[in-house]
């Protein structure tokens, strides 16, 4: 499976493990911030959240793409 291929490529495996861990932590923080933003209903907070959200999703794409690349190798 893809796990075997990633482990045979230490560079991709390291990138995926590091950014994957960071992405999971950011997603947990993202969820908490989303709940607070929705509860407060402040338009300025929503705009800040949207900017942060774009960064979080961009970081999440790194382990997603490296996993995909590892699966194709």
């Amino acid at each position: 499976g893809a796990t075997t291929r990633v482990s045979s490529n230490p560079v991709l495996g390291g990138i995926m493990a590091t950014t994957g861990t960071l992405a999971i932590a950011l997603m947990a923080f993202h969820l908490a911030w989303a709940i607070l933003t929705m509860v407060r209903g402040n338009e300025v907070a929503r705009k800040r959240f949207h900017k942060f959200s774009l960064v979080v999703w961009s970081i999440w794409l790194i382990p997603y793409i490296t996993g995909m690349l590892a699966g194709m190798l």
Side-chain angles (χ1 to χ4, degrees):
T3 306
T4 305
R5 291 183 188 120
V6 170
S7 64
S8 67
N9 188 326
V11 173
L12 280 179
I15 291 170
M16 197 166 93
T18 303
T19 58
T21 302
L22 176 64
I24 289 171
L26 282 172
M27 285 297 198
F29 183 73
H30 184 263
L31 173 63
W33 193 350
I35 292 169
L36 286 174
T37 301
M38 293 301 289
V39 168
R40 290 180 182 161
N42 181 339
E43 190 59 35
V44 173
R46 286 181 188 207
K47 288 180 181 180
R48 282 190 198 133
F49 173 76
H50 178 69
K51 288 178 185 177
F52 174 70
S53 195
L54 291 173
V55 172
V56 170
W57 282 101
S58 297
I59 291 170
W60 179 83
L61 284 174
I62 296 168
Y64 182 83
I65 291 170
T66 54
M68 179 184 66
L69 291 173
M72 292 186 329
L73 293 177

